[in-house]
């Protein structure tokens, strides 16, 4: 690469001059290339250990001046080829011009200007992000690509100096972290270590310190453990590795989410010596933390944060903390965890003003909202810039007309005057008002009571506080406490959230305020206000739509809290149906998962339909990530955390629970339904209150408290059933004595073990104990543990998928289980590479986790070609891509241009396993439609559609999407015996036979027995050509006879196919054995790209007669009797090819001459340039001829170990870049 000229000291023993002229010197770094001795080893070691630019570029070009002993670097190169290219350019373009100058300073100035001009021109063609990365970083990326064979698409994120522990010896080197790989390189005194690990293969990533390894990072894959230490900043390195591994897991879990994630933000102000990707990943990490802390929507982007103080009127203090600003919110978090949290939506802001500074209150900033609240921030470092940013965001807020109406409606919700007796009532009903467009959607919500209020209000009209006595008084006191809290701390989104808020939540939220506070604490309110009418539109769109999700929803509707009166009638059921169906329509990736019905039914009790919908969105997409997808990954992750916490907090119980296998049984039902399915409703809802305020931490704390309370009984349990009974009895008797709702019978289980009446447990006491004993849990620690467990869970799911796919492969495929698993990993890696190295459009097709495992990973033609080239035992040089294309078309039975693993393995097995006959059969099929050319494949498909039109139209009438029944039918068909016999194979015409011979010649070109094989195939080809000629004489007569039968049977469809062949065949073809000369491999390779031209002229008649039957589908040839079709395929199928259609140019002088007596006829045929369309040969004839040559038999029967090829493929897997696709596409037809 060209470098901006810099002065260098050349008196340096580390470089060797290789070329020189009066103006330039080309030098090589010692330790690179041949020789070098001890000096070379030392220099190589230094280059790796020290952070010098020399370690990147082993070659350089210097500009020298004769008088001044000053040298300037103008170019460097990672290879001799690259540096030679630059050297030649300088010699050809600059030397003559430089000789004109008299003054050496002018020469230097001219060269500098020229080099700067070249660099500027190169940069103009680069992507914008390329310019963001500083030069030193670019050099490291160049070194990484060269060292590890990575393509252009693989971006370096950062690189670190560290030691890799090989045994007990540390190897100092460089760790390169790219988007998809972790690479390490070390070169110490001639010993080289090179490691490459894909992030998707990482099963464990930990930062730990042991006696053997000092503070180190441990990276595990399925087959190795790696330790790295001696980092300058181990925390930064580990954090980045975590992020990259997390991205890879997200890719395995849900490719759609992964692709969305790749849209990284562009930085506003680039920093030096940090890559653009590293900045983007840091920004993403901050974004995720910001959104999680303040429960903000997923599309919120943090703009910046700064230290400041916030004046809190409730305790008259200036609380230090951080202010965060994003495009729609201003947030504040105190340094002390519980002191104060604040969220101010910009849609609420009315005034932002800079107050006068004073010694007591430096740089103050006042923000007022529509709810008449004013927030005073001080000690702001860059107040003017901050106000400008806030002003910019305020101007980008939605236009005044719709915005003001939302604002006015919202303002009435966050009113701070609790004197009004109906305040609580107003606020509870208010959340529906921002979506008052719901009422405008007449077709859905006309006269639906649940559109504006919760089901609890509709089904508990008669319970007044007077009737309830002591419970009612307690409820009244709770409401009063909250009203006082609202008065002091504010109400609505802008409320000060403090330790006092948590205390009130732990005491239980009053029934009348529950819906409102759930919306505020979960952040669902923000999304509801900013998406007015969204729910109504979803309901309208999803009404009447059928899918697998809606079928499951209907099945579970009547199982959702059947004990509650609200769901014992159609009103509650209909509301639940609408909310669940709308969500399934919004998020098809999740669709519907069991347990969502139970949670949603509780949400509907305390809020309107729209509120319940947005609470469900908050739960599924933010608060319980990945819980409700098809594989409940999130719940399995938290189950792993629960097991880990049990080991830490209850070590004596942990081992017993593992032996009994209880944790996996209990935790899923506890976590997925937030205890709603295992506890009495009025008790579980208190846990839900705390969950919306604190998150998953509360659920884990309560689960630990339950195990702790039952420890003695669990330790003496003998099996899982007994342990489940103990826990079930305990949970059934967790009561809420303060509940004002009438008791709802709990249908969890009728557990009666023992005569003693069970001891009642108060839910508030249970919560108190959970906070006292296990409050040391922190949200950050839980996130850290989630990452660790996610690696385990997703990798174990991937292993399950691999085992399932391998089991689905038929036993007669020939590969061992280990070979199939290795092939699966290679196949999967190729599919994933299409997503992160941006291959073709079809390749990047998104994986649908709801599909059967076998269908989840598929590859397209270009990816198959890459795998075929590296794995095939039939290497054909430059002809291999052509063969790969044919094999792909042969395997792609459903013509969707993608093949799954089973189809891929079938193709590989055909080449590796089976006897000579089976292998030849595969090779034979590769030279018949549909493998021969795409056009013929399409024609054959059209013919098949024409004859099966009636049956397919029946299926199309039911327009429902493919469900499980479709796959059952598919599997049933696969299980039916479809053994193909030699007799089933159609005959081959002359063009196809020539193609087969060409393939064989290419196949033998790299074999040690090359000459013997050439001679053998020439003999066989000559014999087969004569056989075809002899057979033609009989087939002409038989063809006429069969045509008469077809016509007499009044089968008009064959007319088009037979009229053409009635013209008399030229005399040459009747009487002589036409034998084209077969060229040697070199000449055939030159014409490999001409393959697709062969066979186009007779395409229609050929395919109608033969293409369909080769696939076992209906075709016109079936109108003739079976025997006649077998005796003669040629006359009813093929016609004379027009002059010049055969590519005779490639049959040149370098030929193998066999059977000299017919060479004159061949020469005549060359002149005419025709292919005999009546000539044909059967598979039996080819097989019989090949069996006469032992060298050919030995070639096809020799065993090839696919294991070695798989290992080689894994090594070169990274080296396929998108450029190789373009190179190969020129060769393939």
């Amino acid at each position: 690469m060209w470098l901006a000229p810099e002065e260098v000291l050349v008196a340096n023993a580390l470089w060797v001059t290789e070329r020189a002229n009066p103006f330039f010197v080309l030098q090589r770094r010692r330790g690179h290339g041949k020789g070098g001795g001890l000096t070379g080893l030392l220099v190589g070691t230094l280059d790796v250990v020290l952070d010098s630019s020399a370690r990147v570029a082993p070659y350089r070009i210097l500009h020298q001046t004769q008088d001044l002993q000053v040298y300037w670097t103008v170019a460097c190169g990672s290879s001799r080829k690259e540096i030679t290219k630059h050297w030649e350019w300088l010699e050809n373009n600059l030397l003559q011009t430089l000789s004109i100058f008299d003054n050496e300073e002018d020469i230097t100035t001219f060269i500098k200007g020229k080099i700067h001009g070249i660099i500027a021109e190169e940069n103009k063609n680069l992507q914008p992000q390329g310019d963001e990365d500083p030069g030193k970083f670019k050099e490291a990326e160049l070194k990484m690509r060269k060292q590890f064979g990575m393509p252009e698409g693989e971006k370096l994120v950062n690189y670190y100096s560290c030691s890799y522990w090989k045994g007990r010896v540390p190897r100092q080197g460089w760790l390169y972290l790219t988007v998809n790989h972790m690479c390490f390189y070390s070169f110490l005194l001639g010993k080289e270590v090179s490691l490459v690990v894909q992030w998707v293969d990482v099963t464990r990533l930990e930062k730990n310190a042991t006696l053997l390894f000092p503070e180190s990072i441990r990276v595990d894959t399925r087959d190795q453990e790696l330790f790295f230490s001696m980092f300058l900043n181990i925390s930064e390195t580990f954090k980045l590795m975590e992020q990259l591994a997390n991205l890879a897991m997200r890719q395995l879990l849900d490719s759609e989410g992964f692709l969305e994630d790749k849209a990284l933000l562009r930085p506003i102000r680039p920093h030096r010596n940090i890559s653009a990707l590293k900045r983007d990943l840091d920004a993403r990490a901050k974004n995720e933390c910001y959104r999680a802390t303040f429960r903000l929507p997923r599309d919120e982007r943090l703009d910046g944060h700064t230290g400041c103080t916030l004046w809190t009127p409730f305790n008259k203090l200036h609380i230090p903390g951080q202010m965060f600003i994003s495009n729609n919110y201003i947030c504040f978090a105190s340094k002390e965890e519980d002191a104060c949290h604040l969220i101010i939506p910009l849609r609420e802001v009315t005034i932002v003003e800079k107050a006068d500074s004073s010694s007591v209150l430096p740089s103050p900033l006042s923000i007022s909202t529509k709810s008449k609240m004013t927030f005073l921030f001080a000690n702001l470092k860059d107040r003017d810039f901050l106000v400008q940013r806030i002003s910019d965001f305020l101007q980008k807020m939605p236009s005044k007309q719709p915005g003001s109406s939302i604002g006015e409606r919202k303002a009435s919700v966050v009113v701070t005057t609790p004197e009004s007796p109906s305040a609580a009532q107003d606020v509870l009903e208010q959340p529906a008002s921002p979506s008052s467009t719901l009422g405008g959607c007449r077709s859905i919500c006309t006269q639906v009571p649940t559109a504006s209020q919760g089901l609890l209000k509709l089904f508990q009209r008669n319970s007044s506080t007077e009737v309830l006595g002591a419970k009612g008084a307690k409820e009244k006191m709770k409401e009063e406490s909250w009203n006082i809290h609202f008065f002091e701390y504010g109400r609505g989104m802008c409320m000060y959230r403090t330790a006092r808020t948590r205390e009130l939540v732990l005491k239980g939220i009053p029934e009348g305020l529950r819906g409102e506070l759930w919306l505020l604490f979960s952040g669902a309110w923000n999304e509801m206000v900013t998406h007015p009418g969204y729910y109504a539109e979803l309901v309208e769109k999803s009404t009447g739509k059928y899918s697998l999700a809606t079928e499951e929803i209907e099945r579970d509707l009547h199982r959702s809290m059947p004990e509650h009166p609200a769901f014992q009638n159609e009103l509650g059921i209909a509301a639940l149906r609408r909310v669940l169906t709308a969500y399934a329509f919004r998020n098809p990736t999740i669709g519907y998962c069991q347990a969502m019905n139970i949670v949603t039914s509780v949400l509907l009790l305390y809020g309107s339909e729209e509120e319940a919908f947005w609470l469900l969105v908050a739960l599924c997409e933010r608060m319980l990530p990945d819980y409700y997808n098809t594989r409940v990954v999130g719940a399995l992750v938290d189950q792993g955390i629960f097991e880990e916490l049990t080991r830490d907090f209850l070590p004596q119980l942990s081992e017993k629970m593992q032996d009994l296998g209880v944790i996996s049984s209990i935790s899923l039902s506890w976590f997925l339904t937030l205890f709603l399915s295992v506890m009495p409703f009025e008790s579980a809802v208190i846990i839900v209150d705390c969950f919306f305020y604190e998150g998953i931490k509360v659920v884990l704390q309560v689960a630990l408290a339950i195990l702790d309370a039952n420890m003695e009984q669990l330790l003496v349990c003998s099996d899982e059933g007994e342990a489940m009974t103990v826990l079930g009895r305990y949970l059934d008797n967790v009561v809420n004595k303060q509940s004002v709702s009438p008791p709802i019978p709990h249908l969890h289980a009728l557990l009666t073990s023992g005569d003693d009446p069970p001891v009642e447990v108060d839910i508030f006491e249970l919560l108190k104990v959970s906070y006292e004993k296990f409050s040391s849990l922190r949200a950050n620690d839980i996130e850290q543990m989630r990452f660790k467990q996610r690696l385990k869970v997703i990798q174990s799911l991937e292993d399950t998928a691999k085992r399932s796919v391998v089991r689905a492969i038929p036993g007669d495929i020939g590969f061992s289980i280990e070979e199939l698993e290795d092939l699966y990993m290679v196949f999967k890696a190729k599919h994933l590479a299409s997503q992160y190295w941006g291959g073709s459009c079809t390749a990047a097709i998104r994986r649908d986790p709801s599909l059967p495992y076998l269908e989840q990973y598929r590859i397209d033609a270009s990816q198959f070609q890459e795998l075929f080239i590296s794995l095939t035992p039939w290497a054909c040089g430059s002809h291999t891509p052509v063969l790969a294309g044919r094999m792909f078309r042969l395997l792609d039975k459903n013509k969707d241009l993608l093949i799954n693993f089973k189809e891929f393995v079938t193709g590989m097995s055909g080449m590796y396993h089976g006897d000579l006959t089976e292998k030849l059969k595969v090779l034979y099929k590769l030279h018949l439609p549909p493998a021969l050319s795409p056009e013929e494949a399409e024609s054959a498909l059209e013919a098949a559609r024409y004859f099966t039109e009636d049956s397919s139209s029946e299926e199309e009438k039911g327009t429902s999407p493919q469900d499980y029944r479709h796959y059952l039918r598919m599997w049933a068909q696969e299980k039916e015996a479809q053994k193909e016999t030699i007799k089933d194979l159609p005959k081959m015409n002359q063009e196809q036979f020539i193609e087969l011979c060409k393939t064989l010649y290419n196949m033998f070109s790299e074999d040690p027995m090359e000459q013997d094989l050439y001679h053998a195939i020439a003999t066989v080809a000559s014999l087969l050509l004569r056989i075809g000629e002899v057979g033609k004489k009989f087939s002409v007569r038989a063809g006429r006879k069969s045509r008469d039968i077809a016509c007499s049977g009044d089968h008009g469809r064959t007319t088009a196919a037979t009229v053409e062949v009635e013209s008399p065949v030229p005399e040459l073809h009747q009487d002589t054995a036409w034998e084209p000369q077969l060229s040697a491999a070199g000449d055939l390779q030159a014409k490999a790209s001409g393959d697709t031209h062969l066979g186009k002229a007779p395409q229609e008649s050929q395919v109608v007669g033969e293409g369909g039957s080769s696939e076992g589908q209906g075709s016109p040839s079936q109108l003739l009797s079976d025997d006649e079709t077998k005796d003669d395929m040629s006359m009813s199928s093929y016609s004379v090819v027009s002059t010049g259609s055969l590519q005779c140019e490639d049959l040149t002088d370098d030929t193998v001459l066999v059977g000299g007596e017919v060479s004159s006829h061949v020469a005549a045929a060359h002149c005419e340039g025709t292919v005999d369309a009546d000539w044909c040969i059967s598979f039996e004839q080819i097989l019989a001829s090949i069996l006469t040559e032992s060298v050919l038999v030995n070639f096809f029967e020799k065993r090839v170990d696919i294991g070695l090829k798989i290992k080689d493929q894994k090594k070169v897997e990274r080296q396929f870049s998108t450029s190789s696709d373009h190179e190969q596409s020129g060769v393939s037809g």
Side-chain angles (χ1 to χ4, degrees), residues 862-873:
S862 63
Q863 295 167 297
F864 175 79
Q865 182 175 298
E866 291 165 9
L867 282 179
F868 183 90
I869 290 168
S870 57
L871 296 176
T872 182

Side-chain angles (χ1 to χ4, degrees), residues 411-429:
S412 65
V413 177
V414 291
V415 62
T416 58
T417 53
E419 291 87 355
S420 164
S422 61
Q425 182 74 6
D426 289 346
V427 174
L428 185 64
E429 294 185 0

Side-chain angles (χ1 to χ4, degrees), residues 535-549:
Y535 172 69
E537 286 171 25
L538 272 185
V539 173
E540 191 168 29
K541 285 178 187 172
S542 61
T543 303
K545 296 279 170 59
Y546 171 82
S547 67
L548 196 57

Side-chain angles (χ1 to χ4, degrees), residues 12-18 27-48 54-55 57-60 187:
N12 195 334
L14 302 182
W15 293 90
V16 180
T17 300
E18 293 205 334
Q27 295 185 327
R28 172 177 57 81
R29 184 82 165 166
R30 288 186 188 274
H32 292 275
K34 293 178 182 175
L38 183 61
T39 316
L41 287 178
L42 286 169
V43 176
T45 302
L46 280 172
D47 285 348
V48 170
R55 70 190 168 78
Y59 298 94
R60 69 180 183 183
F187 180 86

Side-chain angles (χ1 to χ4, degrees), residues 539-823:
V539 173
E540 191 168 29
K541 285 178 187 172
S542 61
T543 303
K545 296 279 170 59
Y546 171 82
S547 67
L548 196 57
T550 57
E551 191 178 310
E552 289 175 348
I553 288 167
E554 286 300 324
R555 196 170 57 234
D556 284 352
L557 282 176
H558 294 278
R559 303 177 193 170
S560 312
M561 293 189 67
E563 63 273 21
H564 199 287
F567 297 99
Q568 291 168 358
N569 64 77
E570 191 48 40
L571 181 68
I573 296 291
L576 183 59
R577 179 187 291 116
R578 282 192 291 274
V579 173
L580 289 172
T581 308
Y583 186 77
F585 202 78
R586 165 192 163 87
N587 190 344
T589 311
I590 291 177
Y592 170 76
C593 172
Q594 280 190 329
M596 281 170 73
N597 58 323
I598 295 168
V599 175
T600 310
S601 57
V602 174
L603 301 178
L604 276 166
L605 291 174
Y606 295 101
S608 68
E609 278 185 41
E610 187 179 19
E611 291 165 357
F613 170 78
W614 285 112
L615 280 167
L616 185 63
V617 169
L619 266 177
C620 295
E621 295 173 16
R622 289 186 283 111
M623 299 189 74
L624 296 175
D626 304 321
Y627 257 60
Y628 300 106
N629 57 25
T630 47
R631 298 188 280 181
V632 292
V633 172
L636 291 170
V637 167
D638 285 349
Q639 177 183 298
I641 293 175
F642 183 44
E643 288 182 27
E644 200 174 325
L645 292 173
T646 309
R647 278 196 297 276
D648 294 344
F649 287 104
L650 308 168
Q652 65 274 44
L653 185 61
S654 171
E655 198 174 322
K656 180 73 175 179
M657 296 294 278
Q658 288 295 332
D659 292 343
L660 296 174
V662 174
I663 287 185
S664 55
S665 307
I666 57 173
S667 50
L668 276 184
S669 59
W670 291 6
F671 296 160
L672 279 169
T673 65
L674 304 173
F675 290 99
L676 287 162
S677 64
V678 293
M679 257 186 210
F681 164 72
E682 57 274 8
S683 304
V685 84
I686 303 297
I687 295 176
V688 178
D689 290 343
C690 300
F691 168 75
F692 276 123
Y693 189 77
E694 295 264 50
I696 194 65
K697 170 188 163 182
V698 175
V699 178
L700 291 166
Q701 283 179 187
V702 172
L704 287 168
I706 291 168
L707 290 187
D708 186 43
N710 291 279
M711 189 187 298
E712 289 180 13
Q713 289 172 278
L714 289 169
L715 285 171
V716 296
C717 288
S718 56
D719 58 29
E720 184 186 359
E722 194 179 341
M724 294 293 285
T725 304
V726 168
L727 292 170
R729 275 176 67 81
Y730 179 85
L731 289 166
D732 273 343
N733 292 285
V734 176
V735 295
N736 177 5
K737 293 173 182 173
Q738 299 174 14
S739 174
V740 292
S741 301
I744 298 163
H746 183 47
L747 304 180
H748 174 243
L750 297 169
L751 300 162
T752 53
S753 59
D755 302 325
D756 299 331
V759 180
E760 287 189 344
V761 183
D762 186 69
I763 181 64
F764 296 104
E765 189 60 34
L766 180 63
L767 275 170
K768 186 182 169 190
V769 169
S770 77
Y771 271 90
E772 284 172 358
K773 289 193 174 181
F774 310 110
S775 59
S776 57
L777 279 179
R778 290 282 175 274
N780 290 344
D781 298 336
I782 290 172
E783 279 309 309
Q784 186 71 38
M785 291 162 86
R786 270 183 169 170
F787 162 72
K788 188 173 150 189
Q789 293 297 332
R790 195 177 292 122
L791 284 180
K792 282 186 190 171
V793 168
I794 292 179
Q795 294 294 11
S796 78
L797 287 170
E798 287 297 307
D799 288 341
T800 306
K802 178 172 72 177
R803 285 193 294 273
S804 300
V805 169
V806 167
R807 276 201 301 270
I809 304 301
D812 60 353
I813 211 78
F815 292 115
S816 68
I817 296 291
E818 291 74 21
E819 286 172 340
L820 282 172
E821 287 184 350
D822 286 345
L823 279 170

Side-chain angles (χ1 to χ4, degrees), residues 125 151 189-190 302 513 577 580 614 782 920 1011 1050 1142 1187:
N125 302 326
L189 299 176
L302 179 65
L513 292 174
R577 179 187 291 116
L580 289 172
W614 285 112
I782 290 172
L920 282 177
Q1011 290 305 317
D1050 201 17
L1142 173 65
L1187 285 169

